[in-house]
Amino acid sequence: MTRRSCFIASHLLAVVSALATHTSAADTSASGWPTRPVTIVVPFAPGGNTDLMARLIGERLTKTLGGPFIVDNKGGAGGTIAAEFVARAPADGYTLFMATLTQISTAPFTNKIRYDPIKDFVPIANVGGNPFVITVSSQKPYKTMAEMIDYGKRNPGKLNMGNAGVGGLTHLSGLLFARRAGIEVTEVPYKGAALALADVLSGQTDLYSGNLSEVLPYANNAKVRLMAVSSKSRIRQLPDVPTVSELFPDAQPVETWNGLVGPAAMPSAIVDKIADAVMAAHASPEFQKRLEDAGITPLPEAKAVFARRIQNDIATWKPIVEQAGITPE
């Protein structure tokens, strides 16, 4: 072997050794983690459903892992600004993302994003979700779902359906329902769920497909009628409200989710440590009750199961977005 060959071989051996040492350190780094505050980035303003879940799980992780875990709200662009921020953050376990189905499973088809929802993130653990509730103004003449559908079929385009933003799940879930019901609706986009729901309450808009936590406070409000839920089975909070699948047996259940993900290169040991802590929280009746009281369905899914949900959602929503004629903006 020549002197040059020996040098190259020695150099390569050193590089391999360094990489092995680095990998070993990364794999065992969870033993001393965290040594400083961990940030959970929320893609919406404070006070919403996702923000609540981030604070609830952050509180539990602080107790079990020694945190503190703090929430940082970064709203804008349907949550994609926050998603890009986390995708570009150091993959050391100190920046996590309370992601929703929107930023991970539908954003590639509705927004011009600068991150890859699959390659740039590692799924850690799901926290909770919501079915959607078809909510109708009580000022309208139809009192049942059958009456509303009959009205819609006899008056194509006269039903106004609000949404919290084009391409979001209030929009897409509403379109999915209207298509299954065989009715033509006129879409009315709003800049947020609160504005959309307010116009249903006032009678300005006919219907809205809102997530459960948004509409639950109005369950006993005479201004709206809760007509159907998009979950697989009836929910505890609204036992008298039928599911969409009861009306249409072949209808696909629709539920959003909120779960923790991190930058793709996070050490697997830290991912496991967080996932185990989230699963431990789900095992607590007190934690489950706090979620359910807020209209949130606990979703105890760690890593592989959570990743499969994401892949399935992408396959579900891509054709719906395409059929709706929505293009990335």
Side-chain angles (χ1 to χ4, degrees), residues 59-79:
E59 178 183 304
R60 297 288 305 199
L61 295 178
T62 295
K63 291 178 180 177
T64 57
L65 299 180
F69 285 73
I70 58 175
V71 170
D72 181 16
N73 299 87
K74 291 185 181 295

Side-chain angles (χ1 to χ4, degrees), residues 54-308:
R55 293 179 190 280
L56 287 177
I57 198 61
E59 178 183 304
R60 297 288 305 199
L61 295 178
T62 295
K63 291 178 180 177
T64 57
L65 299 180
F69 285 73
I70 58 175
V71 170
D72 181 16
N73 299 87
K74 291 185 181 295
T80 59
I81 291 174
E84 183 180 346
F85 175 83
V86 176
R88 305 289 177 258
D92 53 10
Y94 289 96
T95 304
L96 308 177
F97 184 33
M98 178 54 80
T100 77
L101 185 152
T102 301
Q103 296 89 48
I104 304 298
S105 301
T106 64
F109 317 120
T110 61
N111 298 72
K112 290 182 179 178
I113 57 176
R114 293 184 293 181
Y115 61 90
D116 187 309
I118 300 301
K119 294 180 180 179
D120 290 342
F121 297 106
V122 56
I124 301 173
N126 213 344
V127 177
N130 289 105
F132 292 86
V133 184
I134 303 300
T135 304
V136 176
S137 171
S138 61
Q139 298 183 35
K140 305 304 175 179
Y142 27 82
K143 293 181 172 57
T144 66
M145 182 65 80
E147 290 179 358
M148 186 188 75
I149 292 173
D150 179 65
Y151 175 88
K153 288 182 176 179
R154 289 186 290 105
N155 300 275
K158 287 192 176 182
L159 282 174
N160 295 319
M161 183 175 69
N163 65 64
V166 174
L169 285 182
T170 62
H171 179 208
L172 297 177
S173 63
L175 285 179
L176 190 62
F177 165 76
R179 184 170 295 126
R180 183 61 196 82
I183 56 177
E184 181 184 334
V185 297
T186 297
E187 301 164 36
V188 184
Y190 292 83
K191 293 183 178 180
L195 294 173
L197 190 54
D199 270 7
V200 174
L201 289 165
S202 69
Q204 295 297 310
T205 306
D206 297 308
L207 69 153
Y208 172 64
S209 178
N211 73 53
L212 174 62
S213 60
E214 291 172 352
V215 304
L216 191 58
Y218 303 99
N220 299 313
N221 189 309
K223 293 183 178 181
V224 295
R225 300 187 185 105
L226 306 184
M227 307 288 262
V229 294
S230 66
S231 50
K232 185 176 181 180
S233 56
R234 294 196 184 197
I235 54 177
R236 178 181 62 82
Q237 298 93 330
L238 300 172
D240 297 327
V241 179
T243 66
V244 174
S245 58
E246 287 179 53
L247 304 168
F248 306 104
D250 61 342
Q252 182 174 354
V254 176
E255 188 172 47
T256 187
W257 52 259
N258 300 257
L260 288 175
V261 305
M266 268 182 64
S268 60
I270 294 179
V271 172
D272 289 341
K273 191 171 186 177
I274 300 170
D276 289 346
V278 175
M279 292 304 101
H282 276 296
S284 163
E286 182 265 341
F287 179 74
Q288 288 193 20
K289 185 176 187 301
R290 291 183 71 181
L291 290 178
E292 291 172 350
D293 286 348
I296 299 165
T297 303
L299 294 176
E301 300 170 343
K303 294 174 55 178
V305 176
F306 187 19
R308 282 197 297 272

